[in-house]
Amino acid sequence: MDTPALSDEVQNILSHIRGDGDLRVWSVIVTIMGDMARGRGETVSGTTLGALMGALGIRPEATRVALHRLRKDGWITSRRAGRGSHYSLTDHGRAQTNAVAERIYGPGLPSPERWFLAVTLLSPDQSEYEQSLMTQGFTELAPGIFLGTSSPESRAGFILFSDSTPVLPDNIMQTLLPDAVRIEAQRFATALKVTRNLDHSDLTALSRAAIRLLILHRWRRIALRLPNLPLTQLSPDARLRTEVHEQLNRLGPIDANDFPA
């Protein structure tokens, strides 16, 4: 089935949102599956997937190659349904997707009352303590130095400092929010101005879905490169989350019924 053509206006909007980077086809499919079929038993039909990928300018041949790779890597599985197929996340794919869902769809972490700095350099079992800290949400700033927003379950084995209003030097902020991520966030924020006041009532279901997916996909690539810390208190470039969520909420979820199987 041929994908309905999108209007020149929508194509222009998608071009702005996409930016200069190439779309990694397998990653786009992961975005779609995570947005539409994250729950157990949920599927995306081949017809729906083909329509969405086509709207983003991705050729069927590239989609087939990416689907093969994701099946081979144990991320998705498929089953025949009449003359078509339905795709779903495997247990592994679902676990990986749900593990990061809050970082993409969640409201972000609230500003803590205190920040905690743990130093493991003198620990007798350094690797064990560091693994424990990371499990508890700490982020490694430099070898043997970890930043977190809550007191560790156990303070034995490492040195712990806390502060309610830390001032982090530029080199530490560069570690937390590298220039590449900061610049990408700034460019994406500029691109989102195109869709901020868009009249969604004039959009077809496919146009709305394509815009949603491209916003979500670009945001996902940024969000997963940010440390799991409440950076909005420390850096204005991390405030992109609010704008993205507002636009996704206005666009609404993708209804698979708009794309007959």
Side-chain angles (χ1 to χ4, degrees), residues 205-233:
L206 184 59
S207 295
R208 183 175 59 82
I211 293 171
R212 173 185 174 85
L213 283 175
L214 211 48
I215 289 176
L216 179 60
H217 183 65
R218 193 167 177 187
W219 163 241
R220 173 176 163 268
R221 291 179 62 246
I222 294 172
L224 296 185
R225 294 164 70 190
L226 297 172
N228 196 26
L229 291 170
L231 290 185
T232 52
Q233 178 179 319

Side-chain angles (χ1 to χ4, degrees), residues 16-231:
H16 273 89
I17 299 172
R18 178 172 176 169
D20 298 330
D22 293 331
L23 292 176
R24 295 183 179 180
V25 181
W26 65 268
S27 185
V28 173
I29 294 175
V30 170
T31 297
I32 292 173
M33 298 301 295
D35 197 43
M36 298 185 66
R38 197 162 66 245
R40 185 176 296 277
E42 294 179 340
T43 64
V44 176
S45 73
T47 301
T48 297
L49 185 62
L52 296 174
M53 298 293 276
L56 298 181
I58 298 172
R59 297 175 61 84
E61 296 83 359
T63 299
R64 285 195 290 270
V65 170
L67 286 170
H68 176 74
R69 171 182 174 178
L70 289 169
R71 279 194 293 260
K72 183 178 179 181
D73 290 345
W75 266 82
I76 65 169
T77 185
S78 62
R79 61 175 175 82
R80 297 294 297 177
R83 299 172 65 181
S85 297
H86 283 257
Y87 299 92
S88 60
L89 291 167
T90 62
D91 290 342
H92 167 73
R94 188 178 305 106
Q96 296 295 314
T97 301
N98 286 329
V100 299
E102 187 65 19
R103 295 175 64 181
I104 299 168
Y105 295 94
L109 299 173
S111 296
E113 293 183 2
R114 300 194 70 81
W115 293 77
F116 294 85
L117 193 71
V119 180
T120 63
L121 293 173
L122 302 178
S123 302
D125 297 310
Q126 186 174 352
S127 61
E128 179 181 340
Y129 288 119
E130 291 178 351
Q131 183 60 47
S132 175
L133 286 170
M134 288 188 288
T135 301
Q136 296 176 62
F138 276 70
T139 294
E140 187 173 22
L141 301 180
I145 302 175
F146 294 78
L147 181 68
T149 58
S150 60
S151 179
E153 295 174 359
S154 172
R155 301 188 182 191
F158 50 81
I159 303 169
L160 187 68
F161 304 90
S162 67
D163 192 346
S164 59
T165 56
V167 177
L168 301 183
D170 290 343
N171 63 320
I172 296 300
M173 284 306 304
Q174 173 70 19
T175 298
L176 292 173
L177 201 63
D179 284 343
V181 180
R182 192 193 311 270
I183 292 170
E184 175 68 8
Q186 292 170 346
R187 289 176 175 170
F188 188 32
T190 299
L192 285 175
K193 293 178 181 178
V194 176
T195 53
R196 182 174 296 160
N197 299 313
L198 186 64
D199 185 355
H200 298 160
S201 64
D202 291 338
L203 297 175
T204 65
L206 184 59
S207 295
R208 183 175 59 82
I211 293 171
R212 173 185 174 85
L213 283 175
L214 211 48
I215 289 176
L216 179 60
H217 183 65
R218 193 167 177 187
W219 163 241
R220 173 176 163 268
R221 291 179 62 246
I222 294 172
L224 296 185
R225 294 164 70 190
L226 297 172
N228 196 26
L229 291 170
L231 290 185

